[in-house]
Amino acid sequence: MGGYTLTILGCGVMGQAILSAIYKAEKSEDAEIQSRYPKKIIACNGDLQASEQVNQLIKSFGESPNGIVVESTFGQNKEAIKESDIIILGTKPYLVETVMKEVEELVNDKLIISIAAGWTINQISTYSKNVTRVMTNTPAKYGQGCAALAFSESVNSTQKELVKTLINHVGMCIELPEKLFDAATSLIGSGPAYILLMIESMMESGIKMGIPLNESLACSLKVMEGTVKMVQESGLHPAVLKHQVCTPGGTTIAGLCKMDEHGVKAGIIKGIEEGAIVAAKLGKK
Ligand SMILES: NC(=O)c1ccc[n+]([C@@H]2O[C@H](COP(=O)([O-])OP(=O)(O)OC[C@H]3O[C@@H](n4cnc5c(N)ncnc54)[C@H](OP(=O)(O)O)[C@@H]3O)[C@@H](O)[C@H]2O)c1
Ligand SMILES: *[C@@H]1O[C@H](CO)[C@@H](O)[C@H](O)[C@H]1NC(C)=O
Ligand SMILES: *[C@@H]1O[C@H](CO)[C@@H](O)[C@H](O)[C@H]1NC(C)=O
Ligand SMILES: *[C@@H]1O[C@H](CO)[C@@H](O)[C@H](O)[C@H]1NC(C)=O
C-alpha cells in the first residue's frame, strides 16, 4: 500500500483536522508503519476560498516529516477519485449523496473512510464494499480528538491497521461495534459541549463567589486537566479518587451531596443518553 494517494472529499473543519494530523505525523523508523502513510493527499472542496484555506494551512506547517505532498483543489472531485487509492469522505452528511453520485463510477471498491454523522456502513456500501465509519470530535483540530472506528466485513487486517495508524493521529482511536455508534455520537461527538458546560458552570461558581472571571476560568481548566491526569496516571477508579478527596464531615462531601440533591449525575447521564436517542433518529431518515 506504500506510496498511495489519499483524497479528502470535502476538506472543511474535520477534514482539515485529519489532514493536519496525518501531514504532521512523525516519521516512523519501521518500514511497515511508514508504508501506511500516503505519498500524496488531495484535498477536494466546493469553492476556491476553501481550497486556498487548505493551502494556507499546509504552508503554515512546513515540510511533512513523512514527505507527504498535498494538492488542494476545488471542482476536481472526479479527477481526484480517479487518481486515489483511499477516500476520506468529509462533507456534511446532507451532501454525501450528491457528492458521491458524481464520482460513484470511479470508486471501484476503493476504501472509503467516512466521517459523516448518521451514515451507516450499510448506506455507504452502496458506493464501495470497503468502508470505515468514524465518529470523532472537534478537539481533533488540536491533536486531542477522540475517534471511534467500525469496519465493513471486507476490510482486511492490513487496511484496518492502516486506518488505525492514520486516524490515531487525531488524538486517539478505538474500534467499536457499529451498533454503539449512536452512543459514540453523543459521548464523543457531542462530548466537548458537555464538558464545556461543566467548565462554564465551575467558572460561574467562582465568579458568583467573588473570584474574577479570568482567574475562575484558569482555575476551572487546571482542575479539569489535573484531574484527568490524576485518573490516567494513578489508574484508579474515579469513585476511589473521589472518596480520597472527601474528608469526613468536610467541604467536599458536602458539595457532592448538594450536587446529588440537584440531580447533577443523573442529569449528565440522561443528557448524554438523549443525544444518542436523537442520533439514532437522525440516522433513520
Ligand atoms: N464538526 C464536528 O464537530 C463534527 C463532529 C463529528 C463528525 N462530524 C462530521 O464531519 C463531517 C464534516 O463536517 P465539518 O464540520 O468538517 O463540515 P465543513 O466544515 O462544512 O466541511 C465540509 C467541506 O465539504 C466541502 N464540500 C461541499 N460540497 C462539496 C463538493 N461538492 N465537493 C467537494 N467538497 C465539497 C466544503 O467545501 P466548500 O466550502 O468549498 O463547499 C467544506 O469544506 C460531517 O459529515 C459531520 O457529520 C463533524
Ligand atoms: C475491497 O474489497 C474487495 C472485496 O469485497 C477486495 O477484493 C478488494 O481488494 C478491496 N479493495 C481495496 C482497494 O481495498
Ligand atoms: C488487504 O487488501 C489490500 C488491498 O486490496 C492488499 O494490498 C493487502 O495485501 C491485503 N492484505 C491482506 C492481509 O489480505
Ligand atoms: C482576561 O484575559 C484576557 C485574555 O487572556 C485578557 O485580554 C484580559 O486583559 C484579562 N482581563 C483581566 C481583567 O485580567
Side-chain angles (χ1 to χ4, degrees), residues 6-284:
L6 171 74
T7 280
I8 304 181
L9 200 53
C11 196
V13 175
M14 275 296 151
Q16 287 173 31
I18 296 173
L19 173 67
S20 311
I22 297 173
Y23 185 85
K24 291 194 285 193
E26 285 168 35
K27 191 171 172 64
S28 172
E29 299 302 327
D30 186 323
E32 198 197 321
I33 294 174
Q34 181 67 32
S35 75
R36 294 178 192 157
Y37 293 99
K39 70 171 187 310
K40 179 174 172 183
I41 301 177
I42 309 176
C44 291
N45 276 304
D47 56 33
L48 174 68
Q49 204 189 341
S51 78
E52 286 294 334
Q53 204 184 352
V54 174
N55 277 327
Q56 288 298 321
L57 183 74
I58 294 305
K59 226 181 266 168
S60 73
F61 294 149
E63 214 150 283
S64 159
N66 286 295
I68 301 169
V69 175
V70 176
E71 200 177 290
S72 184
T73 67
F74 66 97
Q76 304 274 313
N77 294 359
K78 280 186 167 174
E79 291 77 358
I81 297 300
K82 218 178 281 177
E83 190 183 332
S84 64
D85 306 288
I86 298 180
I87 301 153
I88 293 181
L89 182 52
T91 60
K92 290 278 188 207
Y94 76 94
L95 283 174
V96 165
E97 212 165 352
T98 320
V99 169
M100 289 308 295
K101 265 260 144 12
E102 191 205 357
V103 297
E104 207 167 16
E105 267 98 63
L106 305 163
V107 176
N108 290 330
D109 280 338
K110 287 170 184 172
L111 177 62
I112 297 180
I113 303 172
S114 165
I115 63 168
W119 279 81
T120 63
I121 289 175
N122 202 21
Q123 289 167 327
I124 300 290
S125 295
T126 328
Y127 309 111
S128 169
K129 278 201 194 68
N130 304 301
V131 182
T132 304
R133 181 174 174 189
V134 180
M135 172 46 63
T136 184
N137 60 13
T138 43
K141 269 180 86 169
Y142 307 93
Q144 295 292 329
C146 176
L149 305 178
F151 301 96
S152 65
E153 294 255 325
S154 64
V155 178
N156 70 26
S157 59
T158 316
Q159 289 174 309
K160 281 188 185 178
E161 288 312 313
L162 184 150
V163 172
K164 285 179 184 170
T165 301
L166 296 184
I167 301 299
N168 211 24
H169 288 296
V170 306
M172 162 194 129
C173 77
I174 51 159
E175 193 174 340
L176 278 183
E178 198 190 14
K179 65 171 196 264
L180 297 178
F181 263 56
D182 294 325
T185 301
S186 187
L187 187 65
I188 299 173
S190 309
Y194 307 143
I195 297 299
L196 289 162
L197 175 73
M198 183 74 193
I199 294 171
E200 186 190 40
S201 306
M202 288 179 74
M203 186 180 117
E204 286 181 358
S205 75
I207 299 169
K208 188 164 184 232
M209 296 182 291
I211 302 173
L213 187 148
N214 281 4
E215 283 75 3
S216 277
L217 177 59
C219 293
S220 303
L221 289 177
K222 197 62 195 176
V223 169
M224 182 92 40
E225 187 192 346
T227 307
V228 169
K229 281 260 148 55
M230 187 164 75
V231 176
Q232 283 176 334
E233 290 184 17
S234 69
L236 292 172
H237 189 288
V240 170
L241 289 165
K242 187 181 75 178
H243 283 153
Q244 283 177 1
V245 186
C246 293
T247 311
T251 56
T252 312
I253 191 68
L256 285 170
C257 288
K258 195 52 126 186
M259 286 184 192
D260 201 37
E261 215 177 290
H262 286 268
V264 171
K265 187 173 177 183
I268 293 170
I269 295 171
K270 279 281 173 203
I272 298 180
E273 251 183 331
E274 189 65 21
I277 291 166
V278 171
K281 282 186 191 149
L282 292 179
K284 287 215 179 70

